[in-house]
Amino acid sequence: MSELYGYEACPLKRLGDIRVLTVRRGNFDDEIECFLTSRPLNGPKTSDNVDSPSYEALSYHWGDSKTDHIIKIYTGEYPSWPRNFHVRGNLHSALRHLRFSDRPRTLWIDAICIDQDNIGEKNSQVSFMARIYNQATHVCVWLGGSTENSELAINFISRVVNLDDFDRLVADPRTPNEWAALSDLMKREWFSRRWVVQEIALAKRATLYCGNANVEWSDFAVAVSLFEAVEKNGHLITKSIRMSNLFNHVPNFLGEIGSLGATRLVDATSNLFRKSKTGEVLEHLSSLEALISNLSLFRASKAHDVIYAVLALAKGTNVAAALNEEGPVTTPVGVPATSDGDPTARHNKMVAQRVTRKFQQNVEVKRFVIDYDRDFFEVCKDFLTFTINGSKSLDIICRPWMPVDAIRKQDLPSWLLTMSHTAFGLRQDRSYSRKNANTLVGTPGLNKRNYNASGPSEVTGQWRFGIGGKSRSLYVEGFVVDEIKDKLPTAMEAIIPYDWLDAGGWVNRSALPPDAFWRTLVADRGPNGLNTPAFYPRACKSALEQSVEGSNISTNDIIHNGKSTVVADYLRRVQEVIWSRKLIITENGLLGLGPEKTKGRMLICILYGCSVPVLLRKMVDPTTKEEYFLFIGECYVHGLMDGEAFEIARTRNEERLIEKQVFELR
């Protein structure tokens, strides 16, 4: 029985070394035989002082956790005795399909080239991954084995990217099967993984492989962009599929194409960097907050990777590995390793530099340290500290970004929102459908806010995390502006309860809706945070007229079966705002929207540095009798979204002073 391979056979001898796997040539069913060698990431020579070969990098999803497949790795020159290395099924399948029959192929593969059991080495190598993928000559994306329609989808892409025939292709009643096949390909598991954003974004060139078929990433990206554009501008392909007998006339067979991982990946990778003609990154365009917020639908198997997987993509972020006795000393991303001189002196020099950097991280906002030994809750606090200090904003606490099961429910503070609150959720068919409203704070990184409830104020120096027994408390400064008086039923699946009409003051149904009511339904904004179009009041009235008298207004029914595309566009905006929210009325008679869990007496507060009002529930600790607050979520209150709360607060006393306080959020 062959021995198991051990990494002592291929140590990382120098700072900045990586391993690469050379797969020997072979036919599909042959045993997979490989060599593992080390080489400097930045230098032209290997540890044996020979020219470093070029390498390709593999991007894939790990899949099933069972490592029940074996490859052979030689510990010396062939034909030395090989040793067994256990890999997962999806990686084994990738190696079979990607192996050349006539020559060796050199690949960087994370599961093999990094000792996954050595936390120090893992910290170090993960901090290099951006450069590993950017310096690879080619990135091979393994989507998995073929299915009954995967080859149809890949062949169809060449027709989609032919712009001269594109309009005819969309209108052709014979193509629904091809569009559905492309949609299925876009739902592959690889597109939902968070690490792939970095891997594909930094690639100089990439190819997607699915079974024996393949397509260039550049062609795939064009096809996805065109698919999304057609769906966004009239849902023409959805309508074509709906008319086809092949798909049982299902109204929303494709789901939300714009929310698929493939679509988001294409959009993201188009806007992350400015690159040179040779693929080198010239400028990063997105902040860490924007990446974490916008990529929330991309999953990671380890909670830490929700943050670590996008660090190297962020503007102004310096990434370093934590010091760990198990692994080599490492440098931050972007700092070349020294490859000459006395090894001992060089090592000591780098240790000194790392100790200095460890000290500096306490005062440098831009440093983010990768440390898989660190408790994930502390990593979350590191991220929030980085984000809040960098943006001077508290909007991040209104955005869902954290994995659902990363922290036990009983230990989860109210100010950390999990991905269960994201706008879209994954269906069993791997399509995405809406499950919640969009966040009111909107998308960071667009150099504008949707609202200015806290005026021009930034987060104050009072914000901090608690210490000791209160390490899960977040302290923020603000003031109470109003309270909730009444709550109306939740708009489940964006069905507008009939009771909302009376509560909103729409008594005369033959007239246009009251200004405050129709503006509340769309949070007083059009798509993408723009001002509301002039036709919105009439579209609101038309939606009522297309509903059964005295019944709830089903926005989905009118969108799919109504007679007006203008009304449908308006109702899509309504869905973005009211889905699973409650209509609220404040003590001061203002109309608004709150989260589904809005209940009991709640305070409407303005937090300095937060662009929208928030709901807090006052609590008393049963043991210490101390007052604290639960963060319920963001809210829309018509008349409080653009700084009006400050004047309201000043009128409460003769000195016209705002009664500020520091809220302890648990």
Side-chain angles (χ1 to χ4, degrees):
M1 182 176 179
S2 181
E3 296 180 29
L4 291 179
Y5 182 84
Y7 283 96
E8 66 276 2
C10 184
L12 298 176
K13 297 178 181 179
R14 304 180 304 178
L15 176 68
D17 274 5
I18 64 170
R19 300 184 186 93
V20 291
L21 185 78
T22 300
V23 184
R24 297 188 69 229
R25 67 180 184 177
N27 296 319
F28 184 82
D29 292 324
D30 290 346
E31 196 169 48
I32 297 172
E33 298 178 334
C34 316
F35 294 95
L36 199 60
T37 55
S38 65
R39 53 157 286 166
L41 179 56
N42 293 296
K45 302 291 184 181
T46 67
S47 54
D48 298 320
N49 203 36
V50 296
D51 289 339
S52 294
S54 60
Y55 68 91
E56 301 172 276
L58 178 64
S59 179
Y60 68 109
H61 76 92
W62 281 34
D64 194 308
S65 62
K66 294 180 181 178
T67 54
D68 51 1
H69 291 75
I70 293 175
I71 64 172
K72 300 287 187 179
I73 300 182
Y74 289 91
T75 57
E77 293 294 330
Y78 180 81
S80 64
W81 194 258
R83 296 182 182 177
N84 290 342
F85 191 97
H86 291 267
V87 298
R88 302 186 186 197
N90 192 46
L91 175 53
H92 192 264
S93 179
L95 290 172
R96 280 195 181 281
H97 283 83
L98 296 176
R99 172 174 52 183
F100 293 138
S101 61
D102 59 345
R103 63 191 187 279
R105 190 169 199 173
T106 301
L107 298 163
W108 185 89
I109 304 171
D110 58 354
I112 300 175
C113 297
I114 299 175
D115 183 353
Q116 298 292 329
D117 294 326
N118 185 327
I119 295 298
E121 179 179 308
K122 188 175 179 181
N123 289 341
S124 168
Q125 294 287 295
V126 166
S127 73
F128 293 152
M129 281 179 64
R131 278 183 287 152
I132 289 172
Y133 278 90
N134 191 234
Q135 292 183 21
T137 58
H138 176 231
V139 172
C140 305
V141 176
W142 175 245
L143 297 181
S146 61
T147 59
E148 60 182 5
N149 66 359
S150 58
E151 191 167 346
L152 174 67
I154 288 177
N155 291 336
F156 184 56
I157 288 171
S158 62
R159 298 175 61 193
V160 174
V161 299
N162 182 358
L163 298 186
D164 291 339
D165 290 331
F166 182 71
D167 289 342
R168 285 194 293 272
L169 202 63
V170 171
D172 191 339
R174 298 168 296 179
T175 58
N177 204 35
E178 283 85 348
W179 288 112
L182 179 56
S183 171
D184 286 344
L185 188 70
M186 293 165 62
K187 297 172 189 175
R188 290 279 179 137
E189 179 69 20
W190 180 83
F191 293 107
S192 69
R193 310 310 300 173
R194 186 161 293 220
W195 275 110
V196 309
V197 180
Q198 171 177 270
E199 294 163 6
I200 200 69
L202 291 167
K204 293 176 181 175
R205 174 176 162 259
T207 304
L208 306 184
Y209 295 87
C210 185
N212 293 320
N214 64 80
V215 62
E216 290 296 306
W217 166 260
S218 56
D219 286 344
F220 177 82
V222 170
V224 169
S225 295
L226 292 170
F227 196 173
E228 181 192 21
V230 169
E231 280 297 280
K232 187 179 291 185
N233 297 324
H235 299 269
L236 297 180
I237 297 170
T238 291
K239 292 175 181 176
S240 177
I241 289 178
R242 185 180 178 186
M243 297 296 292
S244 172
N245 293 326
L246 295 173
F247 303 97
N248 299 318
H249 306 287
V250 176
N252 195 25
F253 180 85
L254 293 177
E256 294 289 338
I257 292 296
S259 294
L260 288 178
T263 311
R264 287 177 174 262
L265 185 60
V266 169
D267 290 344
T269 54
S270 300
N271 297 294
L272 288 176
F273 310 118
R274 298 193 204 284
K275 287 185 176 182
S276 69
K277 292 180 180 180
T278 58
E280 303 293 336
V281 175
L282 300 176
E283 182 183 2
H284 293 69
L285 301 177
S286 296
S287 68
L288 181 59
E289 178 183 10
L291 290 168
I292 295 293
S293 302
N294 296 339
L295 302 177
S296 59
L297 291 180
F298 291 90
R299 302 191 299 275
S301 55
K302 188 171 181 60
H304 293 63
D305 287 336
V306 167
I307 297 170
Y308 293 168
V310 299
L311 284 177
L313 304 177
K315 176 175 59 179
T317 304
N318 198 359
V319 184
L323 286 171
N324 190 300
E325 292 180 359
E326 294 180 353
V329 180
T330 62
T331 54
V333 168
V335 179
T338 304
S339 59
D340 57 358
D342 177 66
T344 302
R346 186 172 64 250
H347 177 80
N348 292 338
K349 178 182 178 182
M350 294 311 301
V351 169
Q353 290 175 343
R354 289 294 293 129
V355 171
T356 301
R357 283 193 293 271
K358 188 71 174 177
F359 170 76
Q360 288 175 334
Q361 78 182 41
N362 295 320
V363 295
E364 291 180 6
V365 171
K366 298 300 184 182
R367 174 63 50 80
F368 209 108
V369 176
I370 292 175
D371 186 357
Y372 284 96
D373 272 338
R374 189 164 172 78
D375 180 76
F376 179 64
F377 180 67
E378 296 303 316
V379 176
C380 292
K381 289 163 65 175
D382 291 344
F383 164 65
L384 289 178
T385 300
F386 186 98
T387 296
I388 295 171
N389 285 343
S391 67
K392 308 301 181 186
S393 167
L394 284 174
D395 283 356
I396 187 63
I397 69 172
C398 298
R399 296 189 177 102
W401 62 271
M402 204 193 69
V404 174
D405 299 321
I407 297 175
R408 294 187 308 171
K409 190 173 182 179
Q410 59 267 36
D411 296 329
L412 183 67
S414 62
W415 43 268
L416 276 179
L417 291 188
T418 69
M419 296 179 194
S420 62
H421 299 280
T422 56
F424 294 93
L426 191 63
R427 306 189 318 205
Q428 288 187 345
D429 65 355
R430 301 199 61 77
S431 297
Y432 281 85
S433 291
R434 183 174 289 280
K435 64 173 183 173
N436 289 303
N438 293 358
T439 59
L440 294 167
V441 292
T443 301
L446 299 179
N447 297 319
K448 68 180 183 67
R449 290 177 163 188
N450 286 343
Y451 305 98
N452 287 289
S454 60
S457 69
E458 297 180 341
V459 63
T460 69
Q462 295 289 341
W463 99 266
R464 67 189 186 279
F465 293 112
I467 58 175
K470 292 190 175 183
S471 63
R472 293 182 180 270
S473 293
L474 172 65
Y475 294 86
V476 292
E477 189 174 23
F479 58 92
V480 178
V481 66
D482 208 338
E483 292 186 37
I484 291 181
K485 179 180 180 181
D486 293 316
K487 300 165 291 296
L488 278 294
T490 303
M492 303 303 296
E493 298 190 355
I495 296 174
I496 304 173
Y498 194 74
D499 293 347
W500 281 28
L501 277 61
D502 287 331
W506 197 1
V507 179
N508 181 5
R509 308 285 202 269
S510 62
L512 291 175
D515 196 66
F517 181 65
W518 74 259
R519 289 186 183 276
T520 295
L521 292 182
V522 294
D524 201 21
R525 294 291 186 270
N528 302 316
L530 301 175
N531 288 339
T532 54
F535 66 82
Y536 270 14
R538 294 181 182 274
C540 182
K541 184 173 183 293
S542 179
L544 176 65
E545 292 169 346
Q546 294 181 53
S547 303
V548 176
E549 186 175 355
S551 298
N552 298 338
I553 301 173
S554 174
T555 56
N556 269 328
D557 283 350
I558 300 173
I559 287 172
H560 294 302
N561 303 311
K563 55 190 178 183
S564 169
T565 58
V566 171
V567 173
D569 287 343
Y570 161 74
L571 290 178
R572 288 190 182 95
R573 173 57 189 163
V574 170
Q575 290 186 340
E576 292 177 353
V577 173
I578 72 168
W579 199 292
S580 294
R581 283 190 172 127
K582 290 183 176 180
L583 189 71
I584 59 174
I585 301 173
T586 76
E587 289 287 355
N588 291 332
L590 301 178
L591 206 59
L593 296 165
E596 183 179 2
K597 59 183 178 180
T598 304
K599 57 184 178 181
R601 293 191 67 81
M602 291 187 178
L603 304 176
I604 300 171
C605 302
I606 300 296
L607 303 181
Y608 291 109
C610 188
S611 64
V612 298
V614 300
L615 295 181
L616 303 181
R617 180 184 293 134
K618 185 185 296 186
M619 308 290 289
V620 176
D621 190 303
T623 303
T624 64
K625 308 304 179 185
E626 292 179 308
E627 178 182 276
Y628 68 94
F629 297 85
L630 292 180
F631 179 77
I632 305 304
E634 61 179 1
C635 63
Y636 174 86
V637 181
H638 192 67
L640 292 183
M641 304 305 292
D642 291 300
E644 302 93 335
F646 287 85
E647 182 59 28
I648 293 173
R650 290 189 185 97
T651 62
R652 290 176 176 167
N653 58 63
E654 294 181 359
E655 292 82 12
R656 290 183 58 79
L657 298 176
I658 296 175
E659 297 178 5
K660 297 185 290 187
Q661 68 180 98
V662 175
F663 300 98
E664 179 191 354
L665 308 182
R666 295 188 186 177

